[in-house]
């Protein structure tokens, strides 16, 4: 955590009892309560992480001291809490989660009344109250007398997700799938969603355990290796893996291949064109996603709106413009606006099932139809100033190509794309590139490396 700055790209995060202490949580609870104001109703919930109860209790204590009314949602996925905040008239919410971070981390994020994380300017207000210690302490008479239990969050959420799809159609197909909720709160909802749709579910890492004994919480191909092997050997229709708070969903196809989120998003976006023929044909995503989505969906008249990296910014932009078919992040966060504008792993699961029920092919066949490009992701340690200079040099070198410069520089060509951007949180330059073949991808990486060499040589 940087002094004077509390919120990262997605909430406040830190190692439990090191940076993420009860003192911090209490102060932040007081700041959040001061921001919302006395008499406001906030829903507070958490994922399975270590320190969850400790941090939640401290946040709640802080909130109560400002006269805010607290409703305790218990354990629930982030999208379930977000959905209920929006649908049940809460003024906001607080979620104790560190999403996909390693097990020693926990975090606090604040939800606005619309179910989306606080807008950036409001986040800044909370931060200012926190650092200035400008807390509102209500008089003794106004301290709320109790924390109300709100135990229906997961039920409301599961029912809402299921209503968006054709349950009968899915049921008829008799699917069997594997769900891997990473020993966290996805276990409370995703199997139920699938079972309500007549799907037979085999769960891996399905017991709630804050030590994440099954695998690390981030659903990457490396972390999903043993789940993928199991999926391949069991002959199921597909596997689905969540992160620690189940807003992300990564597919393992019936051949046991982990499919990265932007490939799944291409399939889902194309399916939504069929499901909602009257919807605007606009898909929102960050510059870190593959441009293959443009290549595949252009024939259908789809326009891709490129935004800077960060799920909250995608959700807010979809809300501002009000014309999104869907939105996504390449890491498995998919947003379906008729349900809610935020990433939602359970909703992604229901849509995948409906898509497969209509299509009748194996899910691996759908992925195999997509162009197979070669992806390289890497990062190089350097300070932000140098990273920005590299971005300028890359811009200059590729100036005759189509460039997107909202977050670093993205170069788009017919047979490749590349993205060079400074990390928002660490002293790193992130490089992502994807090309028609391995040779071209490696050649591009060499080009970028030599441009970096030029910049470093001048310093
Ligand atoms: Mg997450």
């Amino acid at each position: 955590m940087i002094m004077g700055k509390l919120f990262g790209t997605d909430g406040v995060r830190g190692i439990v009892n090191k940076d993420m202490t009860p003192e911090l949580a209490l102060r932040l609870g007081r700041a959040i309560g001061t921001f919302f104001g006395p008499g406001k109703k906030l829903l507070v919930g958490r994922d399975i992480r270590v320190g969850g109860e400790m941090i939640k209790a401290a946040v709640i204590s802080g909130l109560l001291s400002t006269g805010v009314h607290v409703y305790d949602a218990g354990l629930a996925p982030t999208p379930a809490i977000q959905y209920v905040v929006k649908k049940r008239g809460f003024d906001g919410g607080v979620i104790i989660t560190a999403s996909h971070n390693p097990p020693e981390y926990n975090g606090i994020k604040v939800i606005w009344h619309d179910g989306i994380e606080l807008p950036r300017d409001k986040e800044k207000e909370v931060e200012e109250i926190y650092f200035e210690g400008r807390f509102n302490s209500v008089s003794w008479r106004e301290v709320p007398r109790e924390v109300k239990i709100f135990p229906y969050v997961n039920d409301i959420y599961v029912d809402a997700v299921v209503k968006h799809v054709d349950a009968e159609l899915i049921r008829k197909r008799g699917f069997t799938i594997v769900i891997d909720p990473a020993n966290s709160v996805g276990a409370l909802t995703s199997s139920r969603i699938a079972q309500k749709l007549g799907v037979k579910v085999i769960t891996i890492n399905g017991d709630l355990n804050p030590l994440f004994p099954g695998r690390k919480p981030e659903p990457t191909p490396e972390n999903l290796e043993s789940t993928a092997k199991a999926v391949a050997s069991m002959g199921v229709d597909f596997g689905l893996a969540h992160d620690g708070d189940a807003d992300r969903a990564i597919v393992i196809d019936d051949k046991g291949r982990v499919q990265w989120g932007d490939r799944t998003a291409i399939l889902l976006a194309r399916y939504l064109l069929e499901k909602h023929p009257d919807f605007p044909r606009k898909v929102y995503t960050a510059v870190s996603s593959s441009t293959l989505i443009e290549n595949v969906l252009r024939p259908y008249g789809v326009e891709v709106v490129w935004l800077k990296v960060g799920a909250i910014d995608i959700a807010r932009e979809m809300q501002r413009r009000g014309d999104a078919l869907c939105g996504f992040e390449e890491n498995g966060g998919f947003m379906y606006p008729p349900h809610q504008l935020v990433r939602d792993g359970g909703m992604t699961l229901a849509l995948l099932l409906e898509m497969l029920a209509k299509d009748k092919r194996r899910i691996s066949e759908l992925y195999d139809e997509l162009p197979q490009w070669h992806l390289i992701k890497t990062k190089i340690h350097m300070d932000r100033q140098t990273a920005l200079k590299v971005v300028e040099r890359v811009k200059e070198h590729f100036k005759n190509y189509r460039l997107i410069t909202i977050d670093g520089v993205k170069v788009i060509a017919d047979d490749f794309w590349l993205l060079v951007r400074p990390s928002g949180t660490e002293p790193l330059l992130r490089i992502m590139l994807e090309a028609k073949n391995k040779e071209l991808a490696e050649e591009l990486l060499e080009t970028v490396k030599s441009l970096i060499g030029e910049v470093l040589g001048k310093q």
Side-chain angles (χ1 to χ4, degrees):
M1 263 168 259
I2 311 157
M3 269 312 285
K5 181 139 181 55
L6 210 52
F7 289 91
T9 40
D10 195 1
V12 182
R13 303 260 175 95
I15 294 175
V16 173
N17 264 358
K18 185 164 170 263
D19 335 281
M20 186 48 68
T21 58
E23 288 85 354
L24 180 144
L26 174 69
R27 274 179 72 88
L28 191 53
R30 295 179 77 187
I32 295 164
T34 304
F35 167 78
F36 278 96
K40 292 288 166 36
K41 286 164 47 183
L42 297 198
L43 184 65
V44 180
R46 70 174 184 101
D47 67 15
I48 194 62
R49 281 173 182 279
V50 159
E53 272 310 303
M54 173 184 85
I55 296 161
K56 191 177 82 177
V59 167
I60 289 177
S61 175
L63 291 173
L64 292 172
S65 74
T66 65
V68 160
H69 294 282
V70 175
Y71 293 74
D72 188 347
L75 291 167
T78 291
I81 296 169
Q82 291 180 296
Y83 180 80
V84 171
V85 164
K86 177 184 77 154
K87 279 287 165 182
R88 293 297 172 107
F90 285 97
D91 297 297
V94 180
I95 309 177
I96 316 301
T97 174
S99 184
H100 59 280
N101 286 165
E104 63 272 26
Y105 281 81
N106 212 327
I108 299 169
K109 64 177 183 174
V110 190
I111 306 302
W112 196 225
H113 61 82
D114 53 15
I116 307 174
E117 288 82 351
L118 278 194
R120 295 289 180 203
D121 56 324
K122 307 287 177 203
E123 209 171 61
K124 229 175 147 22
E125 275 181 51
V126 174
E127 224 162 47
E128 279 166 17
I129 298 168
Y130 177 95
F131 285 111
E132 290 166 16
R134 226 173 350 100
F135 306 127
N136 175 33
S137 291
V138 295
S139 83
W140 65 274
R141 283 176 180 282
E142 291 168 281
V143 174
R145 297 173 192 189
E146 60 184 358
V147 172
K148 296 192 179 68
I149 304 298
F150 196 89
Y152 320 111
V153 169
N154 293 328
D155 304 301
I156 296 168
Y157 168 73
V158 167
D159 286 346
V161 166
V162 167
K163 279 204 184 105
H164 281 289
V165 292
D166 186 341
E168 269 324 294
L169 182 78
I170 297 169
R171 195 178 306 277
K172 276 191 208 138
R173 292 295 305 278
F175 291 124
T176 302
I177 65 168
V178 165
I179 292 178
D180 175 352
N183 298 107
S184 192
V185 286
L188 301 171
T189 49
S190 284
S191 311
R192 282 172 63 193
I193 289 168
Q195 281 155 1
K196 277 192 177 239
L197 297 170
V199 174
K200 189 174 171 219
V201 179
I202 300 163
T203 311
I204 294 178
N205 303 324
D207 57 320
L208 295 173
N209 190 327
L211 301 178
F212 296 98
R215 65 165 167 92
K216 291 193 186 122
E218 184 165 19
T220 60
E222 307 79 67
N223 294 342
L224 294 177
E225 221 178 283
S226 54
T227 306
K229 271 190 197 138
V231 169
S233 70
M234 281 190 277
V236 296
D237 291 287
F238 65 93
L240 191 91
H242 291 306
D243 66 334
D245 64 338
D247 53 358
R248 293 198 203 173
I250 287 286
V251 172
I252 300 161
D253 72 16
D254 48 289
K255 290 183 175 166
R257 298 174 301 187
V258 177
Q259 298 287 351
W260 203 230
D262 40 14
R263 295 181 75 76
T264 303
I266 295 174
L267 299 180
L268 284 175
R270 191 177 60 187
Y271 170 61
L272 291 181
L273 293 171
E274 181 191 323
K275 182 173 166 77
H276 301 295
D278 305 332
F279 275 29
R281 306 203 150 200
K282 281 195 186 171
V283 176
Y284 287 63
T285 190
V287 286
S288 49
S289 296
S290 171
T291 57
L292 281 177
I293 185 144
E294 284 189 342
N295 303 21
V296 176
L297 297 185
R298 198 178 293 124
Y300 300 90
V302 169
E303 184 198 329
V304 177
V305 180
W306 296 102
L307 299 167
K308 64 181 190 149
V309 174
I312 306 173
D313 300 290
I314 299 174
R316 287 278 164 217
E317 195 58 17
M318 289 200 296
Q319 183 186 50
R320 196 175 71 79
R321 301 206 211 176
D323 62 355
L325 174 71
C326 61
F328 70 96
E329 277 191 313
E330 94 289 350
N331 58 21
F334 190 81
M335 302 131 171
Y336 177 55
H339 174 56
Q340 58 180 348
L341 291 168
V342 294
R343 294 168 294 185
D344 191 320
M347 191 66 243
T348 309
L349 167 61
L351 289 171
L352 280 166
L353 288 166
E354 191 181 55
M355 174 184 85
L356 272 192
K358 285 229 169 106
D359 195 287
K360 308 252 164 82
R361 284 173 291 177
R362 307 290 293 171
I363 203 165
S364 55
E365 293 176 58
L366 301 184
Y367 286 109
D368 284 342
E369 258 182 22
L370 299 177
Q372 305 289 335
W373 282 19
H374 188 81
L375 177 71
I376 299 177
K377 269 169 100 170
T378 183
K379 57 194 174 187
I380 298 174
H381 280 266
M382 65 177 72
D383 61 60
R384 193 174 167 82
Q385 280 317 99
T386 312
L388 289 170
K389 280 184 200 156
V390 172
V391 167
E392 287 310 310
R393 186 66 194 92
V394 172
K395 256 190 223 172
E396 165 66 23
H397 184 86
F398 289 98
K399 62 175 186 283
N400 294 328
Y401 289 84
R402 181 175 153 213
L403 300 182
I404 297 172
T405 55
I406 31 184
D407 190 352
V409 57
K410 181 165 187 153
V411 182
I412 302 178
D414 289 337
D415 50 359
F416 76 88
W417 64 272
L418 68 88
L419 173 72
V420 177
R421 57 179 280 266
S423 157
T425 49
E426 295 162 279
L428 288 177
L429 181 77
R430 294 193 185 278
I431 302 167
M432 286 178 85
L433 59 90
E434 198 178 26
K436 235 174 191 152
N437 54 55
K438 196 172 171 217
E439 293 71 38
L440 179 58
E442 281 167 358
E443 194 185 305
L444 284 161
L445 183 63
E446 281 316 306
T447 305
V448 173
K449 281 186 174 165
S450 72
L451 295 173
I452 293 169
E454 281 179 34
V455 171
L456 294 175
K458 278 188 195 157
Q459 286 188 334

